[in-house]
Amino acid sequence: MVQERTLPPSQAPTVPISPEQGLMLYEDMILGRSFEDKCAEMYYRGKMFGFVHLYNGQEAVSTGVIKSLRADDYVCSTYRDHVHALSAGVPANNVMAELFGKETGCSRGRGGSMHLFSSEHNLLGGFAFIGEGIPVALGAAFQSRYRKDALGDPTADQVTACFFGDGTSNNGQFFECLNMAALWKLPILFVVENNKWAIGMAHERATSQPEIYKKASVFGMPGVEVDGMDVMAVRAVAQEAVARARAGAGPTLIECLTYRFRGHSLADPDELRSKAEKEAWLARDPIKRFEAYLLKHNLTDEATLKAMRDRIQTSIDDALTFAEDSPEPSPDDLRKYIFAED
Amino acid sequence: MAETLLFNALREAIDEEMGRDDTVFVLGEDVGVYGGSYKVTKDLYEKYGELRVLDTPIAENSFTGMAVGAAMTGLRPIIEGMNMGFLLLAFNQIANNAGMLRYTSGGNYKIPMVIRGPGGVGRQLGAEHSQRLEAYFQAVPGLKIVACSTPYNAKGLLKAAIRDNNPVLFFEHVLLYNLKEDLPNHEYVVPLDQAEIVRSGKDVTLLTYSRMRHHVMQAVKGLEKKGIDPEVIDLISLKPLDFETIGASIQKTHRVIIVEECMKTGGIGAEIIASINDRYFDELDAPVVRLSSQDIPTPYNGKLETLTIVQPKQIEAAVENMVALKV
Ligand SMILES: Cc1ncc(C[n+]2csc(CCOP(=O)(O)OP(=O)(O)O)c2C)c(N)n1
Ligand SMILES: [Mg+2]
């Protein structure tokens, strides 16, 4: 096991959260976790196909960042996109239906696990190739600035959050887009989910400077390192970056130190990562930690949390029923959606 | 009527569309302050400002992807490829994102964007600057591919491409920017999906596009003197192909020669022949002939370069041969 990086001290929230906010964050993380667990079950039962990349362990990042956005802000994801979609408000029913290849899926069964889209929720994708979402997110951020400054629309202050992994930060699109975002002061958050691995490639073996947040400085952009297993810490950092972006002061690179609790995809035997490493990170489970936080600060009680978990479980079961009962796309529509007129 | 050079016809198209719709913007290398490497965006930076005529860093894949993101969120970007060959770096963004994303998203997003710039074999520019990417890109679903060839169609087609709600790859030709033609003073748009009948004839159908249209027309002069009456069709739209126009011509002449500047293997002509066999095999009196560039990297040496692309004399000979074999 490579020497673990010292985690940054937890950024204590400047504004304490209300019980409602606490429960909202908790609910979102539970939703993500329960959804992914159900996916694993369905995949192994042969109900779901293709490459399916689960998000277990990284929930504090999705929740901490996306729940700091407004509904009209944009989210751009990767192939590990189920939970980003859920945090962005895409109903579990439509995400599950997409994984089942159904017409009611958020991409109408044409996309699958790695291609979740929802224009209604400003979810820009769902990208199966690493790095390609970064320029697309940049384009959405450019669009906000264009509307504001070229078209004079004062309401065009939308922010774009762009997620990608540690391995992806070695790809040229990362550097090219950091440059352009800083150059044009675009309202964008580059959120690196550093889970230490890119399939079987350990981060330290792939990059000359493993501290990714430091790469922001050469572009004259703020770069922040944050404990990605602590939703409050992620949220604090995200809120500050969102405020900066919205105010027209430009992008931020946020490196969230996190870990995936499952293999790279459901097809990955996950034999490379050591037991010691896995256990060390499992002990930092962001959901358990946040539960403890909520209870310690008397923001809720165990009964409320349990009721919430049960309710989410029911909604996941409903999503499954919805997906299973939904129709497949009609063969007559095979060629639909190739062109805008279709 | 005003005599207009082809690069200025393109410039007028962009200017008019930017004036008409403020979501239209141009981006690319040296499009702004410098005015474009072939002056297609000259003075537009001064007129529309730095966001609407955006000088980008040399980062083809990322600024192409950025245009996709801008198009998904409601803008209408026009990318200028300084040379279309450089867009090989953006192959992923053009294929996966511009071309396929609408389908993959189940119709969630549309991607109205134009990717335009100089392609083709120029004058001793060497292999890398002499690419014909239309052949490489034709297999990508969701893309439209257009090649202009005269000042008139350049202007009208570019306006149509900018108004189209799909990603359009728009090929200009390095050697055609200084063609001159009297253009109408009134506004006009040329439909993207229609081939142009350049010359009506009855003996043989010549299908061509871009600069090869002019080689074909040179050959036609010689053929006319020999009493041969060819029909010349400029394909204009390389994807989708206008089989209404192509088919009507085949039903008239029953003979087809394709003249293209892309390489033979996997070229536009290869696709046309396959489609003609599917649709019009019974109409043919002779196998379709294609005259294409050699399957080699374009050599720098001028004589070798000339040998690489199809010359008017070869077209003349091919037509004569086909007509002589008339059954
Ligand atoms: C362009 C491209 N190359 C390779 C792959 C195969 N691939 C999929 S995920 C991945 C690792 C990415 O790791 P990271 O960016 O750290 O994200 P994580 O999977 O850890 O979330 C690779 C190599 C791909 N999808 N796209
Ligand atoms: Mg990783």
Side-chain angles (χ1 to χ4, degrees):
Chain A
M1 186 168 125
V2 185
Q3 178 68 44
E4 285 290 342
R5 202 160 132 189
T6 318
L7 288 165
S10 181
Q11 281 91 338
T14 39
V15 189
I17 50 167
S18 66
E20 292 72 32
Q21 284 169 327
L23 287 176
M24 179 271 289
L25 298 174
Y26 182 76
E27 178 173 4
D28 194 52
M29 289 202 285
I30 288 288
L31 174 66
R33 178 74 57 93
S34 319
F35 188 92
E36 297 293 64
D37 285 343
K38 185 57 82 181
C39 287
E41 192 188 323
M42 290 300 117
Y43 181 88
Y44 292 126
R45 275 211 243 152
K47 300 258 184 185
M48 220 176 253
F49 305 94
F51 295 120
V52 179
H53 308 80
L54 301 188
Y55 196 72
N56 298 49
Q58 304 184 197
E59 294 87 354
V61 180
S62 181
T63 300
V65 174
I66 297 175
K67 293 300 177 192
S68 302
L69 299 174
R70 269 188 345 219
D72 62 338
D73 289 332
Y74 294 91
V75 172
C76 192
S77 183
T78 64
Y79 44 83
R80 202 179 294 288
D81 55 354
H82 308 172
V83 176
H84 294 148
L86 295 170
S87 292
V90 185
N93 282 6
N94 307 106
V95 179
M96 192 64 88
E98 186 59 33
L99 304 180
F100 276 66
K102 298 298 180 73
E103 181 68 27
T104 53
C106 57
S107 308
R108 298 192 173 83
R110 271 59 163 194
S113 168
M114 302 187 281
H115 297 290
L116 301 179
F117 292 89
S118 176
S119 50
E120 186 191 338
H121 303 91
N122 283 355
L123 174 67
L124 301 167
F127 292 90
F129 278 23
I130 64 124
E132 63 178 355
I134 307 176
V136 171
L138 191 81
F142 175 80
Q143 168 264 164
S144 299
R145 206 194 135 198
Y146 184 98
R147 283 190 204 281
K148 195 161 147 202
D149 294 334
L151 307 185
D153 175 359
T155 67
D157 62 349
Q158 291 76 14
V159 169
T160 299
C162 174
F163 295 89
F164 50 94
D166 46 283
T168 303
S169 73
N170 297 313
N171 185 284
Q173 291 163 105
F174 168 72
F175 298 100
E176 293 180 357
C177 291
L178 250 57
N179 178 46
M180 287 188 268
L183 183 68
W184 298 322
K185 278 199 170 14
L186 300 184
I188 185 165
L189 275 56
F190 297 103
V191 184
V192 188
E193 305 197 46
N194 182 352
N195 58 13
K196 305 187 74 210
W197 291 85
I199 311 185
M201 186 64 163
H203 181 52
E204 293 78 9
R205 293 182 58 228
T207 193
S208 54
Q209 168 49 284
E211 291 171 284
I212 301 167
Y213 74 99
K214 288 189 175 164
K215 298 179 189 189
S217 69
V218 298
F219 298 99
M221 177 193 304
V224 201
E225 177 190 39
V226 64
D227 180 352
M229 307 302 268
D230 178 351
V231 68
M232 292 298 286
V234 175
R235 182 173 154 92
V237 165
Q239 284 180 337
E240 195 184 322
V242 169
R244 182 163 43 238
R246 216 179 297 289
T252 306
L253 174 64
I254 301 172
E255 179 183 6
C256 305
L257 301 174
T258 182
Y259 201 71
R260 56 171 161 75
F261 290 170
R262 290 178 178 270
H264 170 71
S265 74
L266 288 172
D268 170 22
D270 193 19
E271 287 161 343
L272 276 177
R273 303 185 303 167
S274 72
K275 198 159 170 265
E277 180 182 287
K278 287 184 201 172
E279 278 169 2
W281 283 89
L282 269 171
R284 315 185 56 243
D285 186 326
I287 296 183
K288 294 213 180 94
R289 256 171 94 180
F290 190 53
E291 253 173 54
Y293 176 93
L294 290 174
L295 295 172
K296 181 176 154 207
H297 291 85
N298 288 322
L299 290 161
T300 187
D301 53 43
E302 184 49 58
T304 310
L305 294 181
K306 165 135 198 349
M308 179 168 283
R309 287 195 298 268
D310 292 346
R311 194 158 51 71
I312 296 289
Q313 199 49 57
T314 309
S315 75
I316 301 286
D317 293 340
D318 291 347
L320 196 63
T321 310
F322 175 82
E324 282 185 315
D325 292 352
S326 286
E328 306 222 13
S330 159
D332 295 342
D333 290 337
L334 178 64
R335 301 183 55 80
K336 200 172 169 183
Y337 305 128
I338 292 179
F339 291 112
E341 295 72 24
D342 302 337
Chain B
M1 295 295 239
E3 191 177 68
T4 309
L5 295 160
L6 189 144
F7 76 89
N8 266 328
L10 294 166
R11 188 191 169 284
E12 284 176 14
I14 294 172
D15 190 10
E16 286 175 21
E17 293 307 300
M18 287 183 76
R20 178 176 173 270
D21 178 349
D22 58 15
T23 64
V24 176
F25 74 103
V26 182
L27 72 163
E29 291 152 25
D30 274 325
V31 295
V33 174
Y34 188 75
S37 46
Y38 292 86
K39 298 297 161 207
V40 171
T41 52
K42 192 175 182 314
D43 298 334
L44 296 180
Y45 180 87
E46 288 72 20
K47 183 166 177 185
Y48 293 105
E50 61 179 9
L51 283 177
R52 298 197 63 197
V53 187
L54 184 72
D55 278 320
T56 64
I58 306 155
E60 287 82 5
N61 53 348
S62 291
F63 73 63
T64 304
M66 177 179 132
V68 172
M72 287 168 71
T73 51
L75 302 186
R76 306 184 80 87
I78 306 170
I79 291 179
E80 173 169 298
M82 183 177 247
N83 177 295
M84 285 303 249
F86 303 148
L87 296 181
L88 284 174
L89 277 81
F91 205 118
N92 179 64
Q93 306 289 351
I94 295 172
N96 278 359
N97 304 336
M100 303 203 307
L101 189 147
R102 174 171 174 75
Y103 189 91
T104 313
S105 77
N108 265 284
Y109 291 98
K110 57 181 199 273
I111 298 147
M113 69 189 275
V114 178
I115 302 174
R116 53 149 290 271
V121 178
R123 213 150 271 139
Q124 293 190 261
L125 301 178
E128 295 189 25
H129 284 71
S130 306
Q131 315 236 19
R132 287 118 307 155
L133 293 192
E134 62 272 20
Y136 295 2
F137 279 112
Q138 66 174 331
V140 178
L143 291 181
K144 293 188 175 182
I145 306 182
V146 171
C148 65
S149 52
T150 66
Y152 179 85
N153 68 29
K155 180 173 179 183
L157 288 168
L158 185 53
K159 284 169 70 83
I162 295 166
R163 292 181 196 185
D164 200 277
N165 281 328
N166 297 287
V168 181
L169 281 187
F170 189 94
F171 287 93
E172 298 150 16
H173 195 290
V174 260
L175 294 181
L176 299 183
Y177 280 118
N178 288 323
L179 284 186
K180 269 187 217 158
E181 188 176 0
D182 283 332
L183 297 190
N185 293 322
H186 62 81
E187 189 182 24
Y188 68 95
V189 174
V190 174
L192 286 188
D193 53 356
Q194 278 171 32
E196 182 184 333
I197 300 174
V198 183
R199 182 189 188 280
S200 247
K202 60 176 187 350
D203 292 336
V204 54
T205 298
L206 287 160
L207 299 176
T208 187
Y209 67 92
S210 187
R211 181 178 178 227
M212 284 298 125
R213 163 181 176 155
H214 302 282
H215 277 206
V216 167
M217 290 313 287
Q218 240 174 289
V220 165
K221 282 187 204 154
L223 292 167
E224 281 170 342
K225 285 188 198 127
K226 291 168 187 156
I228 297 173
D229 181 23
E231 177 143 301
V232 179
I233 293 178
D234 184 336
L235 296 165
I236 301 287
S237 177
L238 307 182
K239 187 189 173 107
L241 290 158
D242 173 10
F243 273 105
E244 231 171 273
T245 306
I246 296 170
S249 183
I250 294 174
Q251 279 158 350
K252 183 162 66 164
T253 67
H254 310 287
R255 286 175 179 72
V256 182
I257 294 178
I258 300 164
V259 185
E260 61 185 356
E261 197 176 296
C262 59
M263 289 179 277
K264 188 167 246 172
T265 302
I268 300 292
E271 182 55 37
I272 296 176
I273 292 176
S275 299
I276 289 177
N277 284 342
D278 285 347
R279 296 165 187 242
Y280 304 105
F281 187 75
D282 293 343
E283 293 285 342
L284 293 176
D285 285 347
V288 178
V289 167
R290 74 188 139 141
L291 304 174
S292 324
S293 286
Q294 301 290 318
D295 277 319
I296 57 172
T298 310
Y300 163 69
N301 174 276
K303 286 206 183 87
L304 295 184
E305 185 184 69
T306 305
L307 288 172
T308 304
I309 59 173
V310 181
Q311 299 302 325
K313 281 288 169 213
Q314 292 167 275
I315 303 169
E316 237 183 285
V319 175
E320 282 182 77
N321 262 342
M322 190 173 270
V323 174
L325 290 175
K326 206 160 192 167
V327 276

